[in-house]
């Protein structure tokens, strides 16, 4: 499967050059030119890596990093003309995995991307459970098709519980366990919202698959690889 790199660069010429180079290396690419576009795009279609300019219109690269780290561990390389240690430290503290100074050579960029993708793929080395899912309980993460799913803590709980016993029906009461806010009926109804969001995120990874099945009048169950809808 071709890995997609999201290029966030407000210099149209540089963005096009980077895209051409990366496509020649076998990657798919998309280009954004405004920081306000990044979070919605990563939520819609998580890329394999984000190449992020530090200075952007709308929202700067540091704030974009912080936004992404609230819901995703996608690898991020920040690029900036600022080469001093203070700026590099700010970028890494905001959530970037690597920092390159402009101007940089295409060869250096390719090497950094390959190294970072190897590290990211290594984090998915946990043995697969049912249906090809991978569970990292200490990190409270779940992966599918070699991608970590961008889950909220509650979505992690629901999917983890379903994965624990494939084929078993869990009631909404089961899946609402631990919800501390609101009356019982409201907490139970929120389970439907969590499942809806999980299905959307799973479909972004494998379109057409439906590993979470509804059981009328009862609740939900996990169905392995996921039959077509």
């Amino acid at each position: 499967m071709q890995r997609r790199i999201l290029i966030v660069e407000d210099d149209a010429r540089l963005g096009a050059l980077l895209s051409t180079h990366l496509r020649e290396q076998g990657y798919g690419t998309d280009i954004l030119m405004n920081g306000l576009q990044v979070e919605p795009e990563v939520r819609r279609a998580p890329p394999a890596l984000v190449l992020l300019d530090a200075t952007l219109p709308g929202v700067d690269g540091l704030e974009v990093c912080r936004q992404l780290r609230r819901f995703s561990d996608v690898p991020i390389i920040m690029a900036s003309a600022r080469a001093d240690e203070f700026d590099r430290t700010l970028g890494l503290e905001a959530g970037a995995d690597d920092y390159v100074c402009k101007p940089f050579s295409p060869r250096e960029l390719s090497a950094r991307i390959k190294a970072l993708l190897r590290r990211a793929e290594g984090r998915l080395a946990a043995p697969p459970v049912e249906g090809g899912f991978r569970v990292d309980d200490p990190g409270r993460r779940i992966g599918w098709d070699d991608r970590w799913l961008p889950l909220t803590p509650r979505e992690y709980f629901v999917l983890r519980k379903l994965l624990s016993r494939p084929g078993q029906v869990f009631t909404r009461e089961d899946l609402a366990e631990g919800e501390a806010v609101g009356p019982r009926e409201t907490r139970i109804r929120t389970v439907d919202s969590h499942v809806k969001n999980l299905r959307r995120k799973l479909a972004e990874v494998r379109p057409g698959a439906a590993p979470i099945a509804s059981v009328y009048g009862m609740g939900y169950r996990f169905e392995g690889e996921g039959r077509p809808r």
Side-chain angles (χ1 to χ4, degrees), residues 168-188:
Q168 175 177 315
V169 177
F170 287 89
T171 66
R172 288 172 174 81
E173 289 89 345
D174 293 331
L175 299 175
E177 179 185 343
E179 284 276 16
V181 179
R184 175 177 175 277
E185 184 176 345
T186 300
R187 287 186 282 114
I188 290 173

Side-chain angles (χ1 to χ4, degrees), residues 28-41:
T29 62
D30 287 300
I31 303 173
L32 299 178
M33 300 180 67
N34 190 299
L36 292 171
Q37 300 171 304
V38 183
E39 180 180 354
E41 173 63 15

Side-chain angles (χ1 to χ4, degrees), residues 5-33:
I5 295 177
L6 180 62
I7 300 168
V8 188
E9 172 59 64
D10 65 338
D11 182 329
R13 181 175 176 275
L14 177 57
L17 288 172
L18 290 171
S19 178
T20 298
H21 171 71
L22 292 173
R23 286 179 179 274
E24 289 173 350
Q25 301 297 309
Y27 301 106
T29 62
D30 287 300
I31 303 173
L32 299 178
M33 300 180 67

Side-chain angles (χ1 to χ4, degrees), residues 120-132:
E121 289 162 1
R123 292 199 296 265
L124 273 172
V129 295
E130 185 75 23

Side-chain angles (χ1 to χ4, degrees), residues 142-207:
I142 297 174
W144 198 29
D145 281 357
D146 294 328
R147 286 163 59 178
W148 291 118
L149 299 167
L151 305 178
T152 66
R154 199 64 209 172
E155 290 166 359
Y156 168 84
F157 173 84
V158 171
L159 183 55
R160 184 68 182 91
K161 191 144 193 167
L162 291 169
L163 286 169
S164 69
R165 295 184 181 275
Q168 175 177 315
V169 177
F170 287 89
T171 66
R172 288 172 174 81
E173 289 89 345
D174 293 331
L175 299 175
E177 179 185 343
E179 284 276 16
V181 179
R184 175 177 175 277
E185 184 176 345
T186 300
R187 287 186 282 114
I188 290 173
R189 286 179 178 174
T190 62
V191 170
D192 293 333
S193 295
H194 295 318
V195 170
K196 180 180 178 181
N197 289 334
L198 283 169
R199 284 172 167 164
R200 174 178 55 79
K201 292 176 181 181
L202 293 170
E204 289 171 357
V205 175
R206 192 183 294 182

